[in-house]
Amino acid sequence: MKVAHEITAQAPSAQALDVGKIRADFPILRQKVHGKPLVYLDNGATSQKPQMVIDSLNRYYSEGNSNIHRGVHFLSERATEAYETARQKIRRFINAGSDQELIFVRGTTEAINLVAQSYGRTFLKKGDEIIVSAMEHHSNIVPWQILCEQIGARLRVIPINHDGEIVLEEYRRLLTDKTKFVSVTHVSNALGTIAPVKEVVRFAHERCVPVLLDGAQAIPHLKVDVQELGCDFYAFSGHKLFGPTGVGILYGRAGLLDAMPPYQGGGDMISLVTFEKTHYNVLPYKFEAGTPHIAGGIGLGAAIDYLVGLDWERVAAHEHDLLAYATSALSRIDGLRIIGTAREKVGVISFVFDHIHAHDVGTILDQEGVAVRAGHHCAMPVMQRFGVPATTRASFALYNTRDEIDVLVSGIHRALKVFK
Ligand code: C6P
């Protein structure tokens, strides 16, 4: 089988990340599952939380709980300050131009729906075209299909090659005067491919077409600088970034967000309401109707504090080593086929066997304490592209180790024996 050729495993060095120390920060990793030490390789679905994040949630509910932007009392003011401080941390983390460009949402899914419904319904019309790629998560397909049905626009799809890489020439061909929006994933959740997003943005901008990047799988692995990427919107979820579930971020250029109407109506998104007319609040609050996930926002800020305290060069080298080690170990297993062999990948390995269903492999691995995901990964068109119903997916995070990959490999061998 084909192995991601540019990936080579390195011997651990003195400069290596202190993974033992990092693991100690994640209490959930200490537990046993079915009597075996937990080997958590389902980080693409959601990552585990460091003690700092858990403590911040605990502290908020035990000492700080209050509604924000509303009260004149001590607790409310303190909660508001903590929430807005989290926004500033996130702004610095992705290098956005201002806090106004960061909208707290429920997650990547809500962020993309917001843009489709607010920007799309306002600025697109019948006959316009929206471009996505063939390796999108359903969250970056269905909101655009809904919009297309609503306004009579058309969805165009950039093909991917057999390694799971975007075919840029095809993308250039699809970009025409009809193209009015491009929405592409930064990293594929099913394949691990890192998309050539700078080119995606550059080619679209040559035609003044705005670009949204789905950063759900990129943000835990790559240094994301939205100004350097040049994108118009960037969406991600807190829970894949070692933060809480139910909170995420939509970054949008202030000029575009300003021109867009609110997505939802309610409290906090208004400055004046009468029965005749409502005036909307300034950015970012115009898009934040109702009481938000306050603890979640503060917890996401704590996750970012945790991450900025790490040596990112070492983290990247460690994750690269895990991917290389796992790719080489899995490639040696008879009958195993890796789906997604792009040159540029993060630590995600999807694989199949012709004679064993992905779920069966996942179930045997679970008995060994190994958590992976099996199925279509909410990316059915990717499965269709590769002609498989499902894959088993191991997705790594900074706290994983080579030893855990060895456990994964012996679990796969056990599945092979069981289903011989
Ligand atoms: N992928 C996975 O196991 P939410 O659910 O809104 O936090 O994220 C949606 C989403 C959007 N884009 C990409 C690229 C994603 O990977 C995901 C979530 C998880 O792969 C759960 S399906």
Side-chain angles (χ1 to χ4, degrees), residues 44-45 107-109 137 139 185 187 189 214 216-217 237 239-240 373 377-378 393:
T108 311
T109 304
H137 184 277
S139 292
T185 195
V187 165
N189 69 320
D214 170 352
Q217 297 290 342
S237 304
H239 69 97
K240 294 186 203 287
R373 187 168 172 191
H377 315 294
C378 301
R393 182 189 72 180

